[in-house]
Amino acid sequence: MRARMLAFIGGLLLVGGLPVLPSPDWLLLWPVCLLLLWCRLRWAVPAAMLAGGLYALAHASAILSPDFPAALTGESITITGDVINLPSVSEAVTRFNFRIQSVDVKDKKIPDQQALADLGNVRLSWYYAPADIRQGERWQLRVRLKPPHGFMNPGGFDYESWLFQQRLRATGYIREHTDNRLLQAAPVGIHSLRAHLRDQLASILPARQTAWITALTIGDRSGLDADDWQILRSTGTSHLMAISGLHVGLVAALLFFPFRALWSVIPRATHYISAQRLALLLALLGAAGYAALAGFALPTQRALAMLTVFGLCVFWRRDVSLGDVLLWALFIVLLLDPFAGLNAGFWLSFIAVAVIGWGMNGRRLQPGLWWRYGRVQYVVALGLAPLLLFWFQEYPLLGVFANILAVPWVSLLVVPALLAGVVMTLAGFPLAELAFHFAATALGYLWIWLEWLAQSGFALLARPAPAPVLVFAGLMGALLLLLPRAVPGRWLGILWLLPLLWPLSTRPPPGSFNFTLLDVGQGLAAVVETREYVLVYDTGAQFSENFDAGTAVLIPYLRQQGIRAVDTLVISHADNDHVGGATALLAQFAVAGIFTSDADVLADHAGRRLCQDGQHWVRDGVAFEILHPGKRDWTDRNNASCVLKISAAGHVLLLPGDIERSAEWDLLKRHAAGLDADVLVAPHHGSASSSQPEFIAAVDPDIVLFASGYRNRYGFPDSDIITRYQQQGSIPLNTAETGAIQMRFVPDSIEYKIYRHERRRFWHNRQYSKNLAYEE
């Protein structure tokens, strides 16, 4: 049975890694699988694997069918449906998931209304929403939709994967229109309770405490800001700031022991049902209620599955191992959601429980609760280290010290107070506010401790993502170290772990360089790496107070590459789409020197200099030269952009920022013979105001790169400009279509990789992938 379950899980997981989804015709093999599983024992394992793959294929086909109608992209349409999650509310925008029920038939231009209605769930943004949106409400809305699309960069967050996991088939925004109206109020139930609790907490607590307590009470973490997340990441306590498996288990324990004790003292009560069985059922019901309060988020689903499997085994007096409980829980969760394994937290939760079982079982432990508890923290910290480095390229060195205090503090003080507050709220007791204030105060004191740890200079260990084989070796090393003391050779586990700290270098040899044009939407950010030198050219845009390209794209890429400091930062000019991420970069990385064309940009940095024609330097056999601006005083920001030329290995890369025609003419006058380049990042994102024919002829690039946003409002790159470069013989690549573009400038060749192609999965934006030039 175990072998067949593992085979089923393996087949299911294999489908999640496919770049293209197989034809649904494969589902015709279902009867064959069932026949083999029933009649042919020796074929049971491969049949179970095939069954797992077909099960995942069926779910994926259902999620992705039908395709988003391409003709509808960006069109204004009227839809009717229901709000299906707790909206995320900020000062300017309200975001929520919406299940489409119908499309207004008055929209005659819609070619296939049923296809749109069958899309199901979409993600909507309502800027300056005129009403308080509630989960469960039915609305009619005027919207503009587009297929899922997100940044695609090494080390970055895969937004399209997240949308797929949430079963969201499109994203869009709501337009101001008379069609927008509430059709039906939210029914009374768990959804209205969650909204009521959030409103109540916001009315009685300060804003920052509201964010913390809301996260722990109803699982809504949208109020946490970037500073909060940095503290949680640095201390390894992110799992505490949500309704996690730990808290679900705590609720079950808080209900189990008191009810078992009470039922045991009632005369003859145990004649009908044993105290342990009754307490177990009530504990599971309470845990399910707490999970419902969190909206049945993925961590609570996992914890509930584990508790249910274990609880039923105890209820029916079955003697099972921890491995069996984990296997059944894994099987059940993946049956409910075949693509839950795409989430790193899914594996971390299961492996954490398995590691605890490995590190605590069959050993002569020292007496004392605190000794045992401290060992649990050590076991988890060591066992998860390889996976944390693999998925997040960082490891919280002080996580053990943070969690030793934070876990019992939150579990024994904060969560019980919150539960008491919820119960008293349901009962209408006025003391509910007192319970919430107590929880917020207790969490505030803990936050002081976490901030102090996070601000130490060695809270996080940053390393490039290790290869899978090194992750496996690291896990084996951790398991060796966690063996009982009597086992000889335990110390060899240290040798298995060491490669995680010093992974193989991917930096180029002297005389060569790597160049990565990152996908930052409508903006520009690029990284140049030589053997011992790192240059960042522009940092992308700041999109909102809590979201910028530096934090979301540039910093994760640098960490993924194992870069700890930036030698030179070039800010071509002061427009937001080029400088917006600089503040975040400077907060996380030491930057030795800065070049910029604007006297007001980062003026307080000691190493800042203004770009000037003639500046040049050489690092590791790679030459860097500033070609623009010259002596002319440019009043226009775009035309004042720093133009950087990089030469090595017989190749030239040209980065011209956002210069337009007048600056291009100026460059032609001063450097006509020195503009020839193999690779050009198109000026001003490919706008019609730049890339004049004479400039293109002088540069004559083999490859031209366009840094532009998906369906950006400016229409960049201009189709005539693309044609102009193609007529010159250049290969055009656009980050909106390709994701990050990684290039290696080595002697005799320029090698490049298209990240969206390299990491393509079947759920990624298929409208673009059908038309990419590099796939033809």
Side-chain angles (χ1 to χ4, degrees):
M1 185 64 177
R2 294 174 185 171
R4 279 174 281 182
M5 289 176 67
L6 287 171
F8 182 90
I9 292 170
L12 186 148
L13 295 175
L14 284 174
V15 172
L18 294 177
V20 179
L21 200 64
S23 168
D25 292 343
W26 282 90
L27 297 176
L28 297 175
L29 292 177
W30 263 119
V32 178
C33 283
L34 295 177
L35 186 63
L36 290 174
L37 284 169
W38 184 261
C39 302
R40 296 286 183 177
L41 189 60
R42 62 179 179 177
W43 289 97
V45 171
M49 177 171 283
L50 179 58
L54 294 177
Y55 185 76
L57 173 61
H59 276 259
S61 300
I63 295 169
L64 297 177
S65 179
D67 280 335
F68 185 92
L72 289 180
T73 303
E75 294 289 342
S76 294
I77 57 177
T78 300
I79 59 176
T80 299
D82 303 320
V83 179
I84 58 174
N85 75 324
L86 195 67
S88 169
V89 182
S90 66
E91 184 177 342
V93 62
T94 299
R95 291 188 172 90
F96 54 90
N97 300 343
F98 192 77
R99 180 176 294 116
I100 299 176
Q101 300 292 349
S102 63
V103 180
D104 195 327
V105 295
K106 291 183 295 184
D107 291 306
K108 301 296 184 182
K109 62 185 175 184
I110 298 178
D112 189 353
Q113 296 179 21
Q114 188 58 46
L116 180 61
D118 289 343
L119 280 178
N121 303 340
V122 297
R123 180 78 167 169
L124 296 178
S125 299
W126 198 340
Y127 293 90
Y128 304 104
D132 187 13
I133 311 300
R134 301 281 177 163
Q135 184 174 2
E137 291 178 337
R138 174 159 293 190
W139 281 81
Q140 177 180 282
L141 299 169
R142 190 73 172 178
V143 301
R144 283 185 175 175
L145 299 175
K146 61 182 180 182
H149 192 90
F151 302 152
M152 287 290 290
N153 297 282
F157 177 66
D158 189 345
Y159 182 57
E160 292 177 43
S161 175
W162 180 84
L163 291 172
F164 174 74
Q165 293 172 55
Q166 301 298 316
R167 310 299 190 260
L168 298 171
R169 299 299 320 286
T171 61
Y173 65 94
I174 299 165
R175 304 193 67 201
E176 289 188 26
H177 199 275
T178 55
D179 283 354
N180 298 335
R181 62 176 180 270
L182 176 66
L183 300 179
Q184 183 178 315
V188 176
I190 188 66
H191 302 324
S192 58
L193 172 61
R194 297 180 75 215
H196 172 69
L197 285 172
R198 185 166 74 171
D199 292 343
Q200 182 181 11
L201 292 171
S203 66
I204 65 176
L205 296 174
R208 196 172 189 201
Q209 291 184 347
T210 298
W212 302 338
I213 300 303
T214 302
L216 283 169
T217 307
I218 59 175
D220 176 23
R221 301 193 287 182
S222 61
L224 299 174
D225 60 24
D227 292 336
D228 292 331
W229 284 115
Q230 180 61 35
I231 291 170
L232 294 170
R233 283 178 38 248
S234 299
T235 56
T237 52
S238 298
H239 63 102
L240 293 177
M241 199 52 63
I243 301 181
S244 65
L246 172 67
H247 302 135
V248 174
L250 174 65
V251 169
L254 289 174
L255 292 173
F256 176 81
F257 293 107
F259 276 115
R260 187 179 66 173
L262 286 172
W263 194 252
S264 298
V265 300
I266 300 175
R268 297 187 179 183
T270 56
H271 291 180
Y272 301 99
I273 184 172
S274 69
Q276 178 164 297
R277 284 189 169 188
L278 178 65
L280 191 60
L281 290 176
L282 292 174
L284 289 176
L285 286 174
Y290 194 45
L293 199 61
F296 284 110
L298 193 57
T300 62
Q301 291 180 29
R302 296 191 293 262
L304 199 57
M306 290 187 203
L307 278 174
T308 302
V309 171
F310 178 75
L312 291 177
C313 290
V314 173
F315 187 88
W316 297 111
R317 295 185 173 90
R318 305 290 185 186
D319 186 17
V320 296
S321 66
L322 176 62
D324 287 331
V325 172
L326 288 174
L327 180 57
W328 273 102
L330 183 67
F331 182 74
I332 290 170
V333 172
L334 288 176
L335 274 180
L336 296 173
D337 182 1
F339 301 104
L342 298 175
N343 188 291
F346 172 86
W347 297 109
L348 289 174
S349 61
F350 277 97
I351 293 173
V353 176
V355 166
I356 291 172
W358 176 270
M360 301 296 291
N361 188 38
R363 289 152 179 80
R364 180 182 295 177
L365 300 176
Q366 296 292 328
L369 177 63
W370 277 103
W371 192 95
R372 292 171 179 264
Y373 170 71
R375 178 170 174 81
V376 168
Q377 297 302 322
Y378 157 72
V379 164
V380 172
L382 180 60
L384 296 186
L387 296 172
L388 292 174
L389 287 173
F390 176 70
W391 274 310
F392 307 112
Q393 295 86 55
E394 59 187 19
Y395 179 75
L397 293 172
L398 302 179
V400 172
F401 302 102
N403 280 285
I404 278 180
L405 176 61
V407 170
W409 191 275
V410 171
S411 301
L412 301 180
L413 292 178
V414 179
V415 172
L418 292 178
L419 290 175
V422 172
V423 171
M424 287 188 284
T425 297
L426 292 173
F429 291 164
L431 292 179
E433 291 190 14
L434 183 62
F436 289 134
H437 275 292
F438 175 85
T441 302
L443 196 54
Y445 285 121
L446 175 65
W447 205 260
I448 296 172
W449 163 247
L450 297 180
E451 279 185 313
W452 182 77
L453 289 177
Q455 289 169 0
S456 64
F458 47 88
L460 274 177
L461 172 69
R463 286 292 184 272
V469 65
L470 294 183
V471 176
F472 177 78
L475 286 172
M476 294 302 101
L479 295 180
L480 276 174
L481 289 173
L482 294 175
L483 286 170
R485 291 182 180 178
V487 177
R490 279 194 322 139
W491 63 272
L492 292 173
I494 298 175
L495 300 180
W496 288 72
L497 283 167
L498 285 178
L500 294 174
L501 301 179
W502 291 281
L504 296 175
S505 174
T506 58
R507 302 293 284 274
S512 301
F513 68 94
N514 295 345
F515 172 72
T516 301
L517 182 62
L518 295 167
D519 176 14
V520 293
Q522 186 52 42
L524 178 64
V527 179
V528 179
E529 303 168 62
T530 72
R531 186 66 181 177
E532 303 291 341
Y533 176 80
V534 175
L535 179 144
V536 172
Y537 187 94
D538 285 340
T539 60
Q542 180 173 7
F543 301 100
S544 69
E545 191 174 316
N546 294 319
F547 184 62
D548 63 83
T551 302
V553 177
L554 181 56
I555 291 173
Y557 172 79
L558 295 175
R559 285 180 174 152
Q560 195 262 359
Q561 293 296 107
I563 296 171
R564 303 183 191 178
V566 174
D567 297 284
T568 302
L569 170 62
V570 178
I571 299 296
S572 63
H573 62 296
D575 283 355
N576 172 58
D577 58 332
H578 294 255
V579 73
T583 301
L585 176 68
L586 292 170
Q588 297 291 324
F589 284 81
V591 177
I594 297 176
F595 286 93
T596 180
S597 62
D598 194 301
D600 296 326
V601 171
L602 306 176
D604 56 347
H605 193 281
R608 198 205 67 149
R609 302 172 63 188
L610 292 177
C611 294
Q612 189 66 43
D613 180 16
Q615 294 166 331
H616 62 90
W617 61 99
V618 178
R619 296 290 187 275
D620 302 321
V622 180
F624 299 82
E625 183 180 2
I626 300 290
L627 302 182
H628 185 81
K631 295 181 179 180
R632 177 178 170 181
D633 186 17
W634 295 92
T635 57
D636 177 70
R637 282 181 177 177
N638 287 347
N639 282 317
S641 294
C642 302
V643 177
L644 178 64
K645 177 181 177 181
I646 305 172
S647 308
H651 304 295
V652 175
L653 166 68
L654 190 62
L655 298 161
D658 274 3
I659 62 171
E660 297 179 321
R661 289 191 185 94
S662 56
E664 289 175 356
W665 276 115
D666 189 62
L667 269 173
L668 288 170
K669 292 177 183 177
R670 291 182 289 109
H671 295 285
L675 291 180
D676 184 72
D678 302 276
V679 178
L680 168 70
V681 177
H684 200 193
H685 316 284
S687 75
S689 61
S690 59
S691 297
Q692 58 186 310
E694 293 82 0
F695 178 79
I696 294 175
V699 179
D700 190 22
D702 297 323
I703 303 172
V704 58
L705 310 179
F706 296 98
S708 64
Y710 172 66
R711 293 189 57 83
N712 65 85
R713 58 177 176 168
Y714 307 104
F716 295 160
D718 185 85
S719 58
D720 291 339
I721 298 299
I722 296 175
T723 301
R724 194 176 293 172
Y725 278 107
Q726 289 175 325
Q727 291 172 345
Q728 185 68 28
S730 306
I731 299 173
L733 297 174
N734 182 359
T735 56
E737 300 177 354
T738 64
I741 303 168
Q742 298 174 281
M743 313 189 83
R744 290 175 56 85
F745 290 76
V746 296
D748 302 324
S749 68
I750 299 174
E751 305 166 0
Y752 67 91
K753 294 190 300 184
I754 305 303
Y755 191 74
R756 186 172 282 275
H757 179 64
E758 293 284 321
R759 296 302 178 94
R760 180 182 174 187
R761 296 294 181 267
F762 62 81
W763 58 78
H764 286 141
N765 189 333
R766 293 183 285 177
Q767 289 187 13
Y768 258 144
S769 60
K770 292 175 184 176
N771 300 311
L772 290 179
Y774 60 84
E775 292 186 330
E776 293 179 353

